[in-house]
Each structure stands twice: as C-alpha cells, then as structure tokens.
C-alpha cells in the first residue's frame, strides 16, 4: 500500500486505503471508511463524518450510520466534507468546500463543484456536472448526464417549515437523464424535469418540465423544443 500523507492527519480505526492514495494536511478520516486506488484527498477534508442532529430537527435521530465508501480515482477537494453512509463511485471529482451528506450516492465521473451542497438521501447519476454553489435538496434524484448550473436552488418543503402536515410530504426534485438547469434557477418541491428537459437561467419551475422542452421565466413556461443538436442522444 502506497500512501502519502501530510501533517496532522487523523485516520480512524479499520480504515481501508487503496494503492497510490495521497492525503493532504489536516485531513480527518473516520472509522471504517474505504478509499480506493489512485485517490487524492486534499487539505482539511473530512471523510466519514457522522451527522449531528439539531435539537429541534424533525428528522429521526440515527445513532450510528455505516461508513463512507469512496471508489478509485476520486479527488476530494480542500475543506470538502463527505458524511457517513455516502458512496462515491470511481473518478468522481468533489471540489473545494463542497458537502456530500449522508445516504447520498454519486455515480462515476460526476463533478461536484466548488461549494456545492448535496443534501441527505439524494441519488446522483453518472457524468453529471453540479456547478459552483448549486444546492441539491434532500430526497432528490438526478439521472445521468444531468447539468446543474451555478447557484441553482432546489427545494423540498411546500409548507416552508409551517404546520405538522408537512412532515410526511417532503419531496425533492427529480431530474432525468440529460436534464439541464440554467444559472440562478429555482425548482419547487416535487417537480420533475423529464429527459433532456431544459430550464433557462433565472427561471422558477412550478410545474413539471416535459421531455425535450425548453422552459423559461417566472413561473417557467414552454418556449420551444430543445434543438436536435442539443439532445443527449446526438452528443458524441
């Protein structure tokens, strides 16, 4: 096992490190974490952190989650935090200051950009691009080749933290294969963007976006079909 490690590195019990792993300064890796071959963990990253529940949180308390699993060829950027029970597939890139919460799965070759937050219980497919400072709300599902531009906000609470009625109605967003969302857009709870559905910048999505439609505005309305040369099936 070839591991290069910086200063002040803390590695917990039963951690499994692959070949050719590079660990920066001040990294913390919690008990039981698995890290594959050819990974780079940059300075101040935290991997395998157990979530801390706020006293007034409506989420159920979990005593101990299973360890984090990180595949081969993964890069974890400076000051990124990967929580327990997250699974990152091979060649995922997590940029500086990003957060990947518990019970999240991220597919191969996906890019999680600088400052991105992927909240708990999300599934992200392969070769997605989640760009700087976008927010993926809890209980969301993103398919393959999904593009999320900077500062996109997704939401999961139609009651905005009022009334007990909301407790069993949280629902994140669903963005199917090839879906794209432009910068500064907001997607309301439970909305579905079908295959190759596209949301223009600064739009507010209040209704589902149908397959291969381009929507724009607040509230977002159909402008036209996505051009043929932009469709996922026509990309090399």
């Amino acid at each position: 096992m070839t591991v290069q490690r910086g200063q002040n590195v803390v590695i917990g019990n039963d951690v499994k490190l692959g070949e050719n792993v590079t660990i920066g300064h001040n990294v913390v890796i919690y008990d039981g974490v698995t890290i594959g071959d050819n990974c780079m963990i940059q300075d101040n990253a935290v991997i395998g952190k157990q979530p801390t529940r706020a006293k007034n949180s409506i989420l159920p308390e979990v005593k101990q989650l299973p360890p984090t699993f990180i595949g081969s060829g993964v890069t974890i950027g400076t000051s990124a935090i990967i929580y327990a029970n997250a699974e990152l597939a091979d060649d995922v890139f997590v940029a500086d200051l990003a957060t990947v919460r518990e019970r999240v799965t991220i597919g191969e070759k996906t890019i999680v950009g600088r400052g991105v937050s992927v909240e708990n219980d999300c599934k992200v497919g392969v070769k997605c691009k989640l760009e700087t400072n976008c927010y993926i709300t809890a209980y969301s599902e993103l398919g393959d080749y999904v593009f999320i531009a900077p500062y996109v906000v997704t939401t999961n609470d139609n009651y905005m933290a009022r009334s007990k009625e909301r407790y069993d109605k949280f629902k994140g967003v669903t963005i199917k294969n090839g879906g794209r969302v432009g910068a500064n857009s907001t997607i309301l709870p439970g909305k579905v963007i079908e295959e190759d559905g596209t949301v223009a910048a600064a739009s507010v999505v209040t209704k589902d976006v149908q397959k291969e439609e381009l929507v724009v505005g607040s509230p977002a309305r159909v402008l036209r079909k996505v051009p043929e040369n932009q469709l996922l099936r026509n990309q090399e």
Side-chain angles (χ1 to χ4, degrees):
M1 181 174 67
T2 305
V3 177
Q4 299 180 14
R5 67 178 71 182
Q7 298 178 1
N8 302 317
V9 172
V10 178
I11 298 179
N13 298 321
D14 302 317
V15 171
K16 298 176 182 177
L17 299 175
E19 296 288 339
N20 192 32
V21 173
T22 301
I23 301 174
H25 304 306
N26 306 312
V27 169
V28 177
I29 302 175
Y30 282 90
D31 294 352
V33 169
T34 296
I35 297 176
D37 299 337
N38 305 309
C39 289
M40 178 180 291
I41 314 299
Q42 297 182 338
D43 300 342
N44 301 307
V46 177
I47 300 175
K49 179 184 186 295
Q50 294 287 330
T52 303
R53 181 177 178 273
K55 290 182 179 179
N56 64 342
S57 174
I58 65 169
L59 297 175
E61 186 171 2
V62 177
K63 297 296 185 184
Q64 188 78 11
L65 292 174
T68 303
F69 177 87
I70 293 176
S72 296
V74 172
T75 296
I76 306 296
T78 298
S79 298
I81 304 175
I82 313 297
Y83 277 68
N85 207 185
E87 296 185 13
L88 278 59
D90 294 350
D91 298 320
V92 166
F93 183 93
V94 179
D96 301 345
L97 300 170
T99 302
V100 177
R101 288 290 301 272
E102 65 273 16
R103 297 182 299 276
V104 168
T105 61
I106 297 181
E108 292 183 5
K109 294 183 171 63
T110 282
I111 296 171
V112 180
R114 187 181 191 278
V116 168
S117 291
V118 182
E119 293 285 17
N120 55 282
D121 301 282
C122 288
K123 181 178 180 182
V124 181
V126 304
K127 293 187 177 180
C128 296
K129 292 183 179 180
L130 312 182
E131 297 211 327
T132 299
N133 290 327
C134 69
Y135 177 79
I136 309 301
T137 193
Y139 315 113
S140 293
E141 183 168 348
L142 279 57
D144 300 336
Y145 299 94
V146 167
F147 175 86
I148 307 293
Y151 294 97
V152 167
V153 174
T154 60
T155 60
N156 64 15
D157 183 2
N158 269 318
Y159 296 84
M160 294 196 295
R162 296 287 171 85
S163 85
K164 294 181 179 180
E165 186 179 358
R166 76 188 195 280
Y167 288 172
D168 61 350
K169 295 179 181 178
F170 287 109
K171 190 172 183 181
V173 304
T174 299
I175 304 177
K176 297 187 179 179
N177 293 352
R180 296 179 293 169
V181 183
N184 288 302
S185 293
T186 300
I187 315 299
L188 295 191
K191 297 302 172 277
V192 177
I193 298 174
E194 299 286 353
E195 291 87 349
D196 267 320
T198 302
V199 178
S203 297
V204 178
V205 175
T206 62
K207 297 180 180 178
D208 293 348
V209 178
Q210 301 306 310
K211 182 177 180 179
E212 300 176 7
E213 280 185 351
L214 170 63
V215 301
V216 59
S218 177
R221 294 182 174 86
V222 178
L223 178 65
R224 54 180 168 81
K225 284 287 189 178
V226 175
E228 279 288 327
N229 65 354
Q230 288 284 307
L231 297 177
L232 186 59
R233 63 175 176 267
N234 295 324
Q235 305 308 301
E236 295 181 359

